[in-house]
Amino acid sequence: MFSHIMIGTNDLDKAKAFYDKLLGTLGVRPAKVDGHRIFYITPTGIFSVSKPINGQPATPANGGTIGYACSSSEQVDAWHAAGLEAGGTTCEDPPGVRQGSTGKLYLAYLRDLDGNKLCAMHRLA
């Protein structure tokens, strides 16, 4: 259904350092830089960060969340720790088990350097 996700940033270099570290915990290679954008290309999709083309400041989506699939609760914790170490801020409840409509989930939430809300999720059996 989706080909890619693109979010805005006000500082491409800082965003690249943040996401290289954060997505590295998921086995994603460092971003490819293309002018005013960076791209993380995987077999399952593309995540991109861009300075806004219209020249206006980047702002986070109100109510928006970008979710990353993880293979274990340990990977979720590593993702969260890497995000905090890279300058992100924790939000929502601390990392842990939540009951979702499709079963139990292990979740962690962060805000990136530009305020975008991110989630790492592992579905528990």
mmCIF file of all heavy atoms in Angstrom, residues 29 33 40 42 48 53-54 64 82 86 92 104 107-109 114:
data_model
loop_
_atom_site.group_PDB
_atom_site.id
_atom_site.type_symbol
_atom_site.label_atom_id
_atom_site.label_comp_id
_atom_site.label_asym_id
_atom_site.label_seq_id
_atom_site.Cartn_x
_atom_site.Cartn_y
_atom_site.Cartn_z
ATOM 1 N N ARG A 29 20.872 0.545 6.902
ATOM 2 C CA ARG A 29 22.128 1.237 6.603
ATOM 3 C C ARG A 29 21.956 2.756 6.702
ATOM 4 O O ARG A 29 20.842 3.265 6.536
ATOM 5 C CB ARG A 29 22.608 0.884 5.208
ATOM 6 C CG ARG A 29 23.124 -0.547 5.124
ATOM 7 C CD ARG A 29 23.713 -0.779 3.776
ATOM 8 N NE ARG A 29 22.594 -0.982 2.855
ATOM 9 C CZ ARG A 29 22.660 -1.668 1.745
ATOM 10 N NH1 ARG A 29 23.786 -2.177 1.367
ATOM 11 N NH2 ARG A 29 21.598 -1.822 0.995
ATOM 12 N N VAL A 33 22.328 10.558 0.916
ATOM 13 C CA VAL A 33 22.016 11.981 0.845
ATOM 14 C C VAL A 33 21.752 12.356 -0.602
ATOM 15 O O VAL A 33 22.506 11.978 -1.503
ATOM 16 C CB VAL A 33 23.172 12.821 1.417
ATOM 17 C CG1 VAL A 33 22.859 14.309 1.324
ATOM 18 C CG2 VAL A 33 23.465 12.415 2.860
ATOM 19 N N TYR A 40 16.442 6.325 3.449
ATOM 20 C CA TYR A 40 16.751 5.018 4.026
ATOM 21 C C TYR A 40 15.964 4.016 3.186
ATOM 22 O O TYR A 40 14.734 3.969 3.255
ATOM 23 C CB TYR A 40 16.331 4.954 5.493
ATOM 24 C CG TYR A 40 17.111 5.940 6.334
ATOM 25 C CD1 TYR A 40 16.650 7.240 6.514
ATOM 26 C CD2 TYR A 40 18.326 5.574 6.910
ATOM 27 C CE1 TYR A 40 17.378 8.146 7.267
ATOM 28 C CE2 TYR A 40 19.055 6.492 7.660
ATOM 29 C CZ TYR A 40 18.573 7.772 7.835
ATOM 30 O OH TYR A 40 19.296 8.688 8.565
ATOM 31 N N THR A 42 15.027 0.229 2.083
ATOM 32 C CA THR A 42 15.012 -1.159 2.537
ATOM 33 C C THR A 42 14.155 -1.979 1.578
ATOM 34 O O THR A 42 13.408 -1.410 0.774
ATOM 35 C CB THR A 42 14.426 -1.274 3.967
ATOM 36 O OG1 THR A 42 13.006 -1.095 3.903
ATOM 37 C CG2 THR A 42 15.042 -0.258 4.919
ATOM 38 N N SER A 48 12.196 8.691 4.359
ATOM 39 C CA SER A 48 12.960 9.846 3.906
ATOM 40 C C SER A 48 12.718 11.043 4.819
ATOM 41 O O SER A 48 11.643 11.191 5.388
ATOM 42 C CB SER A 48 12.539 10.203 2.480
ATOM 43 O OG SER A 48 13.242 11.322 2.014
ATOM 44 N N ILE A 53 10.390 21.819 0.701
ATOM 45 C CA ILE A 53 10.648 22.419 -0.611
ATOM 46 C C ILE A 53 10.132 23.852 -0.676
ATOM 47 O O ILE A 53 10.720 24.693 -1.347
ATOM 48 C CB ILE A 53 9.999 21.559 -1.714
ATOM 49 C CG1 ILE A 53 10.693 20.200 -1.783
ATOM 50 C CG2 ILE A 53 10.083 22.246 -3.068
ATOM 51 C CD1 ILE A 53 10.012 19.209 -2.692
ATOM 52 N N ASN A 54 9.076 24.154 0.077
ATOM 53 C CA ASN A 54 8.486 25.496 0.010
ATOM 54 C C ASN A 54 9.256 26.535 0.823
ATOM 55 O O ASN A 54 8.861 27.695 0.881
ATOM 56 C CB ASN A 54 7.018 25.467 0.434
ATOM 57 C CG ASN A 54 6.829 25.118 1.897
ATOM 58 O OD1 ASN A 54 7.782 24.949 2.652
ATOM 59 N ND2 ASN A 54 5.577 24.994 2.300
ATOM 60 N N GLY A 64 -0.005 12.473 14.237
ATOM 61 C CA GLY A 64 0.708 11.512 13.405
ATOM 62 C C GLY A 64 1.740 10.721 14.195
ATOM 63 O O GLY A 64 2.348 11.237 15.130
ATOM 64 N N ALA A 82 18.882 4.155 21.751
ATOM 65 C CA ALA A 82 19.651 4.837 20.699
ATOM 66 C C ALA A 82 19.031 6.186 20.367
ATOM 67 O O ALA A 82 19.742 7.172 20.162
ATOM 68 C CB ALA A 82 19.735 3.967 19.449
ATOM 69 N N ALA A 86 20.802 9.818 20.877
ATOM 70 C CA ALA A 86 20.996 10.684 19.709
ATOM 71 C C ALA A 86 20.263 12.021 19.836
ATOM 72 O O ALA A 86 20.267 12.813 18.905
ATOM 73 C CB ALA A 86 20.544 9.951 18.440
ATOM 74 N N GLU A 92 4.846 9.480 25.672
ATOM 75 C CA GLU A 92 3.888 8.436 26.040
ATOM 76 C C GLU A 92 4.375 7.750 27.319
ATOM 77 O O GLU A 92 5.145 8.312 28.077
ATOM 78 C CB GLU A 92 3.687 7.425 24.900
ATOM 79 C CG GLU A 92 3.214 8.025 23.598
ATOM 80 C CD GLU A 92 1.798 8.556 23.635
ATOM 81 O OE1 GLU A 92 0.961 8.054 24.406
ATOM 82 O OE2 GLU A 92 1.515 9.502 22.885
ATOM 83 N N LYS A 104 -1.213 -8.472 22.547
ATOM 84 C CA LYS A 104 -0.225 -7.743 23.317
ATOM 85 C C LYS A 104 0.908 -7.240 22.425
ATOM 86 O O LYS A 104 1.367 -7.946 21.524
ATOM 87 C CB LYS A 104 0.343 -8.627 24.427
ATOM 88 C CG LYS A 104 -0.641 -8.856 25.541
ATOM 89 C CD LYS A 104 -0.010 -9.585 26.711
ATOM 90 C CE LYS A 104 -1.042 -9.755 27.804
ATOM 91 N NZ LYS A 104 -0.466 -10.388 28.984
ATOM 92 N N LEU A 107 5.907 -1.797 23.136
ATOM 93 C CA LEU A 107 6.024 -0.515 22.445
ATOM 94 C C LEU A 107 6.980 0.434 23.153
ATOM 95 O O LEU A 107 7.135 0.376 24.369
ATOM 96 C CB LEU A 107 4.664 0.175 22.389
ATOM 97 C CG LEU A 107 3.516 -0.546 21.721
ATOM 98 C CD1 LEU A 107 2.219 0.205 21.942
ATOM 99 C CD2 LEU A 107 3.787 -0.709 20.247
ATOM 100 N N ALA A 108 7.569 1.322 22.371
ATOM 101 C CA ALA A 108 8.339 2.449 22.897
ATOM 102 C C ALA A 108 8.085 3.638 21.982
ATOM 103 O O ALA A 108 7.971 3.473 20.760
ATOM 104 C CB ALA A 108 9.822 2.121 22.943
ATOM 105 N N TYR A 109 8.004 4.822 22.563
ATOM 106 C CA TYR A 109 7.729 6.038 21.808
ATOM 107 C C TYR A 109 8.824 7.075 22.025
ATOM 108 O O TYR A 109 9.354 7.203 23.133
ATOM 109 C CB TYR A 109 6.400 6.662 22.245
ATOM 110 C CG TYR A 109 5.196 5.883 21.819
ATOM 111 C CD1 TYR A 109 4.655 4.910 22.636
ATOM 112 C CD2 TYR A 109 4.590 6.134 20.589
ATOM 113 C CE1 TYR A 109 3.532 4.191 22.253
ATOM 114 C CE2 TYR A 109 3.468 5.417 20.193
ATOM 115 C CZ TYR A 109 2.945 4.458 21.034
ATOM 116 O OH TYR A 109 1.831 3.754 20.642
ATOM 117 N N ASP A 114 12.905 17.123 15.494
ATOM 118 C CA ASP A 114 11.945 18.088 14.965
ATOM 119 C C ASP A 114 10.549 17.908 15.550
ATOM 120 O O ASP A 114 9.600 18.561 15.121
ATOM 121 C CB ASP A 114 11.889 17.994 13.429
ATOM 122 C CG ASP A 114 13.175 18.501 12.805
ATOM 123 O OD1 ASP A 114 13.388 19.725 12.819
ATOM 124 O OD2 ASP A 114 13.966 17.670 12.324
#
